């Protein structure tokens, strides 16, 4: 089972998740579980006699049909298998596991045994989910920062208050089908470009932002992010009417 163990290391990211083994004698319809596999199901070693019924009864209801189909396919063909699913132990604790294994075929071509491993990936799954949440929060913070910076630019250039500046961003976002975050980023990036020597910085900034807003109706997210200035054909500045 060396290859199966190598596969479990790949699946679990090479970390030290609990691993339990099982062996199923197809002809005798009997199972052997390692101590770790008993523990995954909430039993002490030898507390119950493993059986196909117990094996399937502890599958999460939403995953039971798939896990059963994988087992039946392995019994029928002996082909290697890999199945990620959830199990529920005797204390109703839910764990996420990966079952991996293969069958043994005799000289007559009959599958006589199924051997494999369970890898408990519950903790690594939880950590991965937590990391995804943190990444989403970080992306959200970046988006908020860009929007606030763009609002400040519009407030300074056009004499708007914070709400009016956001409404201007929102209007252009809706009418150009470009996310507010991307509109905000291209505005702030445009102002970070070098200013030609001798030109009035404020007037240049006003011109750059005006060109960006004027061309949003013809822009896409791709060419917006590619350049803060050359984002489409020139047109008149469009936006909501201002008092």
């Amino acid at each position: 089972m060396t290859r199966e163990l190598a596969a479990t290391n790949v699946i679990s990211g090479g970390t030290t998740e609990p691993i339990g083994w099982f062996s199923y004698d197809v002809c005798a319809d009997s199972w052997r579980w390692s101590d770790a596999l008993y523990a995954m199901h909430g039993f002490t070693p030898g507390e119950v006699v493993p059986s196909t019924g117990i094996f399937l009864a502890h599958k999460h209801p939403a995953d039971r049909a798939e896990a059963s189909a994988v087992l039946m396919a392995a019994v029928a063909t002996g082909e290697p298998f890999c199945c990620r699913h959830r199990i529920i132990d005797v204390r109703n604790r839910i764990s996420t596991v990966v079952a991996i294994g293969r069958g043994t075929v005799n000289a007559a071509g009959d599958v006589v045994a199924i051997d494999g491993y369970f890898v408990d990936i519950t903790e690594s799954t939880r950590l991965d989910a937590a990391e995804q949440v943190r990444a989403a929060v970080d992306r959200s913070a970046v988006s908020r920062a860009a929007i606030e910076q763009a609002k400040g630019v519009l407030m300074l250039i056009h004499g708007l208050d914070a709400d009016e500046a956001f409404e201007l961003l929102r209007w252009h976002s809706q009418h150009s089908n470009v996310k507010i975050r991307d509109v905000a980023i291209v505005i702030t990036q445009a102002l970070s470009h070098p200013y030609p020597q001798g030109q009035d910085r404020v007037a240049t900034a006003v011109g750059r932002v005006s060109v960006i807003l004027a061309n949003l109706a013809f822009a896409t997210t791709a060419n917006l992010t590619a350049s803060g200035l050359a984002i489409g054909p020139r047109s008149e500045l469009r936006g909501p009417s201002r008092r």
Side-chain angles (χ1 to χ4, degrees), residues 180-198:
I180 290 181
R181 176 198 62 194
D182 294 325
V183 175
I185 289 174
V186 77
I187 287 174
T188 55
Q189 286 180 343
L191 298 187
S192 68
H193 294 170
Y195 289 83
Q197 188 173 3

Side-chain angles (χ1 to χ4, degrees), residues 18-207:
I19 297 177
W21 60 262
F22 65 87
S23 182
Y24 174 52
D25 185 323
V26 177
C27 299
D29 190 25
S30 63
W31 293 78
R32 289 187 297 128
W33 288 2
S34 69
D35 291 353
L37 194 56
Y38 274 106
M40 287 183 195
H41 290 81
F43 299 113
T44 58
E47 182 178 348
V48 296
V49 177
S51 68
T52 303
I54 291 177
F55 190 77
L56 294 177
H58 284 275
K59 307 303 181 189
H60 190 285
D63 301 340
R64 186 174 295 134
E66 179 184 358
S68 177
V70 168
L71 176 61
M72 294 303 102
V75 170
T77 67
E79 291 295 318
F81 62 88
C82 180
C83 176
R84 174 173 173 157
H85 60 281
R86 291 162 293 176
I87 61 175
I88 304 175
D89 72 7
V90 293
R91 297 178 181 83
N92 288 320
R93 294 176 300 191
I94 300 175
S95 301
T96 301
V97 301
V98 172
I100 184 169
R102 61 180 176 181
T104 300
V105 180
N106 64 15
D110 300 321
V111 179
V112 296
I114 303 292
D115 298 289
Y117 294 87
F118 269 34
V119 185
D120 187 340
I121 61 170
T122 305
E123 181 62 13
S124 60
T125 301
R126 184 190 66 79
L127 292 175
D128 182 60
E131 180 58 33
Q132 291 182 26
V133 170
R134 284 194 295 270
V137 170
D138 290 343
R139 288 193 298 270
S140 177
V142 170
S143 296
R144 288 197 303 271
I147 291 171
E148 289 303 315
Q149 290 175 1
K151 282 169 54 179
V153 170
L154 296 178
M155 290 167 66
L156 178 63
I157 290 176
H158 295 299
L160 307 175
D161 63 27
D163 290 339
E164 289 172 334
F166 181 78
E167 284 303 311
L168 184 61
L169 286 173
R170 188 172 67 85
W171 188 92
H172 281 288
S173 171
Q174 291 176 341
H175 285 74
S176 61
N177 197 30
V178 176
K179 292 180 180 179
I180 290 181
R181 176 198 62 194
D182 294 325
V183 175
I185 289 174
V186 77
I187 287 174
T188 55
Q189 286 180 343
L191 298 187
S192 68
H193 294 170
Y195 289 83
Q197 188 173 3
Q199 287 191 8
D200 183 277
R201 292 174 63 90
V202 174
T204 302
V206 171

